Amino acid sequence: MSRSEELFREAVTLMPGGVNSPVRAFGSVGETPRFIASAKGAYMTDVDGNAYIDYVGSWGPMILGHNHPEVLKSVMEAAANGLSYGAATESEVKMAKLICEIVPSIEMVRMVNSGTEAVMSALRAARGFTGRNKIIKFTGCYHGHTDAMLVKAGSGVMTAGVPDSAGVPEGCTKDTLSAEYNNLDSVRTLFENCGEEIAAVIVEPVGANMGVVPPEEGFLEGLRILCDKYGSLLIFDEVITGFRLSLSGAQGYFGITPDLTTFGKIIGAGMPVGAYGGRREVMEMVAPVGAVYQAGTLSGNPVAMAAGLAQLTILKETPDFYENLNKKGDWFFSQMEKLLTDAGVPHCLNHIGSLGCVFFTDKKVTDYASAKTSDTTAYGQYFKHMINHGIYLAPSQFEAMFLSAAHQKERELAKTLEVMGAYFEKNN
Ligand code: KE4
């Protein structure tokens, strides 16, 4: 028995599913989760000493690769000064200043501790600012596990096969309206029916929790127009796309300005950090200046700020960082597309920048319904082959592959394509 198997056997008696976040249990791919001992650059090593080329990257934060030396140094230096004070610090001022500088739509920002917390708080600010209650979200989009968002959500909820979650009272979701991604008519209908009651539309500007589903031409612009028409706020949930598609995230990449943005993952470089921000008049609704209450013991934690500041500074100051990363992504996913096509595998490969996902379906995947046509058993078999050949992919069809600056074309990407090619040739 491997050490991972031993640990998992004990873990399931101590934590629900043996994990602290459902997708890590490898439930939908029928494998024993690998217990990771260390990570560096593009690699993770498990407790049995197996090394993997990692395409999860902690679900997005590791855009520079694991344990970038400058990030690690900043964390160690900050930790040496104390782990947390529960008081204002200079690092929070620096972080807020940097975010406002690199994301033009952010005039004011509040740090929190996770993407979920960022979304929960942004929704409350939007409701407080507009005095309205209803929120539109999109089927298959995942915005963390705050009650109001656990309606036809993506990611682990989608994998669990439950459209919603138990334990969420109807009162918490009665104001959550679901529209279909890339379907403006479905949004228009909701606005026509109750536009004056809609506080906000929240959207992943690139769907990445039903697998990767980029916005079709005009979709995001259409949301902006509808929100302006009905006086609702447009919230971009950039927990995944923030600082990934461009330095100013998807909003910079597509040129659409949201009223509020939520961040997570990359902003903390692997430490527990989330943030929400946007128009000053909305953010000034937030306590202690405004009537919208929100707080957090460890929000703006100095060690987490040091990690985030180090990573964002590298992203900001490295010449052509995003041009190079996105070009590398385009090359890699187009090579993957060629492998799949040459092998005659029924597939839809969606990718944008350093995000991508192969769906085992002959349909074009543009929303939740088409994503659900994918053969998750086939995905599980693919996953099993890849992990047993040293390639660590998302243990679910409805997640993304994340490339980092540490993945080198001639090394990790070439090796990955070789393992993939061998598999697809044998299994189509
Ligand atoms: P967290 O609370 O997990 O930090 O962020 C929630 C969240 C919010 N918005 C978007 C667009 C997200 O993708 C997420 C979390 N992403 C998942 C991966 N699909 C986290 C992985 C997990 O749940 O373990």
Side-chain angles (χ1 to χ4, degrees):
M1 178 183 292
S2 71
R3 181 74 182 126
S4 280
E5 286 166 328
E6 270 174 20
L7 283 168
F8 191 48
R9 184 167 289 193
E10 184 179 13
V12 294
T13 67
L14 299 164
M15 296 170 278
V19 291
N20 284 307
S21 198
V23 71
R24 301 179 197 169
F26 282 31
S28 73
V29 291
E31 270 279 310
T32 300
R34 302 308 193 264
F35 281 63
I36 302 302
S38 66
K40 180 77 183 147
Y43 294 85
M44 291 200 295
T45 302
D46 70 16
V47 291
D48 293 289
N50 303 305
Y52 305 95
I53 300 172
D54 175 25
Y55 289 96
V56 172
S58 181
W59 301 101
M62 303 307 170
I63 191 168
L64 296 178
H66 288 281
N67 244 2
H68 187 286
E70 286 171 49
V71 174
L72 182 60
K73 180 168 171 286
S74 299
V75 166
M76 308 293 269
E77 285 171 358
N81 291 327
L83 299 182
S84 178
Y85 318 122
T89 62
E90 183 179 3
S91 60
E92 292 163 276
V93 177
K94 284 181 177 171
M95 182 63 136
K97 201 168 165 186
L98 182 57
I99 294 166
C100 293
E101 181 196 333
I102 60 182
V103 187
S105 72
I106 309 287
E107 296 174 330
M108 186 170 267
V109 65
R110 168 63 60 87
M111 306 310 297
V112 293
N113 302 279
S114 69
T116 293
E117 202 182 346
V119 166
M120 178 173 68
S121 310
L123 294 176
R124 191 178 306 135
R127 285 168 158 162
F129 178 75
T130 60
R132 301 175 180 182
N133 293 336
K134 294 197 183 309
I135 300 287
I136 293 177
K137 77 173 286 290
F138 293 87
T139 304
C141 283
Y142 177 70
H143 303 289
H145 64 89
T146 188
D147 282 346
M149 292 291 100
L150 287 176
V151 174
K152 298 180 189 170
S155 188
V157 179
M158 193 165 170
T159 309
V162 289
D164 305 318
S165 169
V168 176
E170 196 273 332
C172 294
T173 55
K174 68 179 174 51
D175 289 314
T176 305
L177 310 175
S178 294
E180 300 313 312
Y181 202 80
N182 278 323
N183 179 338
L184 278 173
D185 285 343
S186 71
V187 187
R188 208 168 277 119
T189 304
L190 293 173
F191 269 111
E192 283 161 5
N193 295 340
C194 40
E196 308 311 328
E197 298 172 70
I198 295 172
V201 173
I202 186 166
V203 66
E204 290 183 60
V206 172
N209 285 290
M210 46 181 144
V212 174
V213 179
E216 290 179 339
E217 188 67 35
F219 177 59
L220 298 176
E221 293 84 342
L223 296 181
R224 179 69 275 170
I225 291 166
L226 282 167
C227 285
D228 290 343
K229 181 178 176 184
Y230 288 92
S232 306
L233 300 186
L234 178 58
I235 302 175
F236 270 13
D237 179 351
E238 296 226 40
V239 167
I240 283 187
T241 56
F243 315 105
R244 175 158 291 274
L245 291 188
S246 81
L247 189 56
S248 48
Q251 56 196 270
Y253 188 92
F254 294 111
I256 305 285
T257 302
D259 299 295
L260 290 176
T261 304
T262 55
F263 296 109
K265 299 178 193 282
I266 290 174
I267 198 173
M271 300 294 282
V273 180
Y276 67 105
R279 284 166 48 193
R280 182 177 298 280
E281 56 189 333
V282 181
M283 292 305 292
E284 285 183 341
M285 288 295 298
V286 179
V289 286
V292 173
Y293 194 70
Q294 181 266 310
T297 302
L298 297 175
S299 296
N301 170 276
V303 180
M305 291 300 99
L309 272 166
Q311 176 143 283
L312 294 189
T313 301
I314 294 166
L315 294 173
K316 174 177 170 255
E317 294 180 357
T318 303
D320 306 326
F321 178 86
Y322 289 95
E323 188 189 336
N324 294 334
L325 180 64
N326 291 348
K327 238 175 12 195
K328 185 163 64 176
D330 289 344
W331 175 82
F332 175 72
F333 291 112
S334 59
Q335 293 298 307
M336 223 177 125
E337 174 61 45
K338 192 173 176 316
L339 287 178
L340 286 153
T341 304
D342 290 354
V345 177
H347 71 281
C348 171
L349 193 155
N350 286 347
H351 68 95
I352 180 167
S354 55
L355 288 175
C357 168
V358 57
F359 297 90
F360 291 96
T361 175
D362 56 7
K363 301 267 183 303
K364 187 171 173 355
V365 177
T366 58
D367 58 13
Y368 175 82
S370 45
K372 285 294 273 184
T373 66
S374 49
D375 178 345
T376 53
T377 305
Y379 183 86
Q381 289 156 355
Y382 160 63
F383 174 88
K384 204 185 291 279
H385 173 88
M386 298 302 284
I387 200 162
N388 290 328
H389 288 79
I391 313 293
Y392 192 100
L393 301 176
S396 159
Q397 166 69 82
F398 305 115
E399 300 289 353
M401 278 180 89
F402 297 88
L403 265 64
S404 80
H407 290 82
Q408 296 306 313
K409 225 170 148 176
E410 302 71 28
R411 273 196 333 247
E412 290 77 27
L413 301 187
K415 168 76 177 159
T416 304
L417 291 165
E418 185 195 317
V419 175
M420 273 182 191
Y423 176 75
F424 291 142
E425 265 162 39
K426 262 202 347 251
N427 300 270
N428 67 43

